[in-house]
Amino acid sequence: MNTAAQKNELIFGYSSGNLSEAKSLFVSMYLFLNSVAAKKASIFDNILAENLVELDEVAPKKINYKDCIDAGSKENLEYKINKNYNPLTNLIGNIDKLQWKSIYKGFKEFNLPLKDSDTIKLIKMDPGTSVPLHSHNGKEYILVIDGSFCDEYGEYKKGDMQINDQNIKHHPSASDSNGCVCLSITENDVVFFGKFASILNLFTFIKSFFK
């Protein structure tokens, strides 16, 4: 499931403005952290811009050099594109100062204040912490913000994205040295497997009533 085509589809959806608020924030952070993904987004932006110009229903605005000079007025110059602009911290502030909610030892969460059908949150895993074997009823999107984690499918470092669905079962473990902070979107509840699966799934079921 974690294919380049899935990631490109997500980036294209962002460029075309067709993503939800949660996924838009998720992708904007992906582009901020991953230069390769940002270049792909730039290509998609240019393609969409060219198609927009060719639409008969959209008439390009005729401007002259004076319009360009006026656009660079003092008021407009006050807003500059900052390459260090972080869309996540712009929304929630310093990640280190968040009021994390402890789920179990070594595993914390912070729900982002967005009204969306998708659940988007930050996950913080202390060094060596792992999550029991699980899958998802819908898609799960994971973006590593800091540190790294590994599972049955590889190692994921800062700026890496993983996309999973109900066909994927994995057992993520945070790096033993730095732990891991991830931005995560889940479209539906987690389904656990293994020794304590029945208890964990019951907890997930009860928790769903308080979303």
Side-chain angles (χ1 to χ4, degrees):
M1 183 66 187
N2 191 44
T3 64
Q6 290 285 338
K7 295 174 183 176
N8 289 341
E9 182 181 354
L10 197 62
I11 296 172
F12 187 82
Y14 177 80
S15 294
S16 59
N18 290 325
L19 296 183
S20 64
E21 189 176 2
K23 285 191 175 76
S24 292
L25 174 62
F26 183 91
V27 176
S28 66
M29 268 306 293
Y30 181 43
L31 303 184
F32 173 75
L33 294 172
N34 192 307
S35 60
V36 175
K39 289 179 181 178
K40 290 182 180 179
S42 179
I43 293 172
F44 291 149
D45 289 344
N46 290 332
I47 293 173
L48 290 166
E50 291 175 1
N51 290 338
L52 185 64
V53 172
E54 294 174 359
L55 290 177
D56 295 332
E57 296 84 358
V58 181
K61 185 177 180 181
K62 294 181 179 180
I63 60 175
N64 54 44
Y65 72 94
K66 290 184 178 180
D67 296 316
C68 297
I69 294 175
D70 292 338
S73 64
K74 183 178 179 180
E75 292 182 359
N76 289 316
L77 284 174
E78 290 177 356
Y79 177 79
K80 296 181 180 180
I81 297 176
N82 185 352
K83 292 183 178 180
N84 295 319
Y85 174 81
N86 185 319
L88 183 59
T89 55
N90 182 62
L91 175 67
I92 61 174
N94 190 329
I95 292 178
D96 294 330
K97 296 181 179 180
L98 295 177
Q99 294 183 343
W100 294 90
K101 180 180 179 181
S102 180
I103 305 301
Y104 58 86
K105 186 178 179 180
F107 187 99
K108 300 180 180 68
E109 292 182 350
F110 178 84
N111 290 316
L112 271 64
L114 296 180
K115 294 181 179 179
D116 202 299
S117 58
D118 295 327
T119 300
I120 181 168
K121 59 189 174 184
L122 281 166
I123 294 173
K124 185 176 183 180
M125 299 170 64
D126 292 344
T129 301
S130 62
V131 180
L133 182 66
H134 68 278
S135 184
H136 297 265
N137 286 324
K139 288 182 181 178
E140 175 196 41
Y141 302 84
I142 303 173
L143 174 64
V144 181
I145 303 297
D146 196 20
S148 65
F149 78 90
C150 63
D151 63 8
E152 292 82 348
Y153 302 95
E155 182 180 12
Y156 300 87
K157 300 179 180 179
K158 184 177 181 178
D160 289 340
M161 185 208 300
Q162 185 186 60
I163 303 176
N164 302 313
D165 64 9
Q166 64 275 12
N167 296 315
I168 297 293
K169 295 179 183 178
H170 69 151
H171 176 61
S173 296
S175 163
D176 289 332
S177 55
N178 300 319
C180 187
V181 177
C182 296
L183 184 62
S184 170
I185 289 180
T186 52
E187 296 180 342
N188 216 319
D189 291 334
V190 175
V191 179
F192 290 99
F193 300 89
K195 186 177 181 180
F196 301 104
S198 57
I199 297 174
L200 293 171
N201 288 327
L202 177 61
F203 173 76
T204 301
F205 175 73
I206 295 173
K207 186 180 176 182
S208 67
F209 288 98
F210 300 93
K211 288 183 178 179

